[in-house]
Amino acid sequence: MNLTKKRIVSGMRSTGKLHLGHYFGVLTNWVKLQKEYESFFFIADWHALTTKYNDTAGLKESVRDVALDWLACGIDPNKSTIYLQSLVPETAELHIYLSMLTPQNWVERDPTLKDMTKILRTQGDSDGSITYGLLGYPVLMTADIITFNVDYVPVGIDQVAHIEISRDIIRRFNNIYKTEYFKEPKPLLTEIPLLKGIDGNKMGKSFNNDIKISDDEETTQKKIMRCITDRNRMRRDDKGNPENCEVAYTYWKIFGTEDELKEIEEGCKAATLGCADCKRCLAKKINEHFAPIREKRIELAKNPETVRDILIEGSKKARAEARKILDGAKEAIGMYF
């Protein structure tokens, strides 16, 4: 236990290979945070079951894909505790205790439940019904947080409400058992850039509009060539407006240098640069950016036992700390152990 650093925890559901939205919205931030905080990052395979309980054939492969993407992008097992949620059963026990004291209407109004219900229906569940596990998603999320009694949870502004219900549940635990054992973690706000999918909508695997971190160069280029640009620019010699370019220009703002961005703007407005040429250059920039990450991922994939060992060792480390926290919680409740 590092007494000099504040603690953070964050996780991702094990739903397969990650895309550029995950990279810029989460992973690049985690890489920075792991240098400043005692960091716990978990692959949430229990949470994945809330919407994919009837489709688990690829669950193990999805866990492996998430781990590969994390490691390739710079999440360092020597700096962070990387673990698999289901290998830390202490979290499940904490979830039980929290579920006993959390009012039903609290979880029903949580935005997480609404979001997950949408995912459930999108993924084609047989009846789209809300399961007991899905209803309890906010409680399990809270258990994830208090497993290590963290100080902060890194989130975007749109996720603050999710943390607030966790703070409410923690406060209720402390009030009921007349203790100050659990900290009320604060959201660690991160500036998450909105990265649209190639169709102009929110990027997502289920929408078939994403560019994956692990896509090869040819696949990346094909996807970029399908990107929405300026819908008002019908012909090559029409003058365009970069601000009306729905996707490609927003990518240039992320991947291009200041000089490159200026060149793209001028070429578009003067009609000396066509949309197809613009997107070919963009695909090259993206491929150059991810080349070392993809190379590292390929090498890691050749040694699946190494990746598995990292998860197992990280889970052992996480579980040792979780056991201490759980024992303290049971003592506060008055449980015999």
Side-chain angles (χ1 to χ4, degrees), residues 2 4-8 28-39 41 79-80 152 188:
N2 191 325
T4 62
K5 288 186 176 181
K6 297 290 187 179
R7 283 187 171 185
I8 62 171
T28 55
N29 188 50
W30 283 6
V31 170
K32 296 175 184 177
L33 292 176
Q34 68 182 350
K35 301 173 185 177
E36 304 172 33
Y37 296 90
E38 185 181 5
S39 305
F41 299 131
K79 296 177 181 177
S80 303
Y152 300 103
L188 188 62

Side-chain angles (χ1 to χ4, degrees), residues 107 110 112-113 134-143 165-166 169:
V107 296
D110 186 69
T112 304
L113 180 62
L134 180 56
L135 186 64
Y137 185 98
V139 185
L140 179 56
M141 178 180 66
T142 304
I165 188 172
S166 292
I169 294 171

Side-chain angles (χ1 to χ4, degrees), residues 4 29 67 71 81 92 103 143 150 168 195 209 221 224 234 238 264 267 282 301-302 316 321 337:
T4 62
N29 188 50
L71 295 169
T81 300
V150 301
D168 288 341
L195 195 67
N209 68 353
Q221 177 159 327
I224 289 297
M234 307 302 294
D238 287 340
I264 292 297
L282 175 60
K302 292 177 182 177
K316 286 180 180 178
E321 186 56 36
F337 68 99

Side-chain angles (χ1 to χ4, degrees), residues 16-67:
K17 295 177 179 178
L18 305 179
H19 54 63
L20 269 58
H22 296 117
Y23 176 77
F24 286 107
V26 181
L27 293 179
T28 55
N29 188 50
W30 283 6
V31 170
K32 296 175 184 177
L33 292 176
Q34 68 182 350
K35 301 173 185 177
E36 304 172 33
Y37 296 90
E38 185 181 5
S39 305
F40 295 85
F41 299 131
F42 66 96
I43 300 176
D45 52 345
W46 280 334
H47 285 303
L49 291 177
T50 58
T51 56
K52 295 181 73 68
Y53 61 86
N54 62 335
D55 181 18
T56 58
L59 188 57
K60 291 180 181 179
E61 183 180 357
S62 292
V63 168
R64 177 176 172 273
D65 280 331
V66 172

Side-chain angles (χ1 to χ4, degrees), residues 107-312:
V107 296
E108 288 178 338
R109 72 171 184 254
D110 186 69
T112 304
L113 180 62
K114 298 175 183 178
D115 293 342
M116 300 306 291
T117 301
K118 290 178 183 178
I119 293 173
L120 182 66
R121 289 169 180 162
T122 301
Q123 292 178 342
D125 178 62
S126 57
D127 58 7
S129 60
I130 297 177
T131 64
Y132 176 78
L134 180 56
L135 186 64
Y137 185 98
V139 185
L140 179 56
M141 178 180 66
T142 304
D144 291 319
I145 293 171
I146 68 171
T147 292
F148 307 107
N149 214 0
V150 301
D151 301 279
Y152 300 103
V153 182
V155 292
I157 189 67
D158 59 328
Q159 296 173 307
V160 171
H162 300 176
I163 304 305
E164 281 307 309
I165 188 172
S166 292
R167 287 169 55 86
D168 288 341
I169 294 171
I170 292 167
R171 191 178 303 118
R172 183 170 169 83
F173 179 99
N174 288 341
N175 287 339
I176 288 173
Y177 299 117
K178 296 177 174 55
T179 180
E180 296 181 358
Y181 182 65
F182 283 120
K183 301 174 184 177
E184 293 180 29
K186 297 177 181 177
L188 188 62
L189 290 178
T190 58
E191 187 175 340
I192 299 177
L194 176 61
L195 195 67
K196 295 180 179 180
I198 59 176
D199 61 356
N201 296 309
K202 181 179 179 180
M203 183 176 287
K205 177 182 177 181
S206 59
F207 304 134
N208 196 31
N209 68 353
D210 62 333
I211 299 171
K212 292 182 174 56
I213 295 170
S214 57
D215 279 343
D216 59 29
E217 291 189 0
E218 182 179 359
T219 301
T220 300
Q221 177 159 327
K222 286 181 179 179
K223 290 181 177 180
I224 289 297
M225 296 307 291
R226 289 163 45 204
C227 277
I228 303 297
T229 52
D230 183 350
R231 296 179 191 269
N232 297 319
R233 191 179 184 189
M234 307 302 294
R235 296 182 298 274
R236 169 67 173 75
D237 56 355
D238 287 340
K239 293 182 179 181
N241 184 346
E243 295 302 329
N244 292 334
C245 182
E246 295 183 31
V247 178
Y249 185 64
T250 63
Y251 286 6
W252 270 113
K253 288 181 177 179
I254 295 173
F255 289 98
T257 64
E258 188 175 334
D259 288 342
E260 288 171 334
L261 201 60
K262 184 178 180 181
E263 185 178 344
I264 292 297
E265 290 174 353
E266 292 175 350
C268 178
K269 291 177 179 178
T272 57
L273 178 69
C275 293
D277 291 334
C278 173
K279 289 190 282 189
R280 273 190 282 269
C281 293
L282 175 60
K284 183 179 179 182
K285 286 290 294 185
I286 294 174
N287 282 326
E288 287 174 351
H289 181 92
F290 285 102
I293 292 174
R294 290 167 174 172
E295 184 178 348
K296 183 178 179 180
R297 192 186 194 281
I298 290 171
E299 289 303 310
L300 285 166
K302 292 177 182 177
N303 300 285
E305 288 303 311
T306 300
V307 177
R308 184 174 182 273
D309 288 345
I310 288 173
L311 284 178
I312 290 175

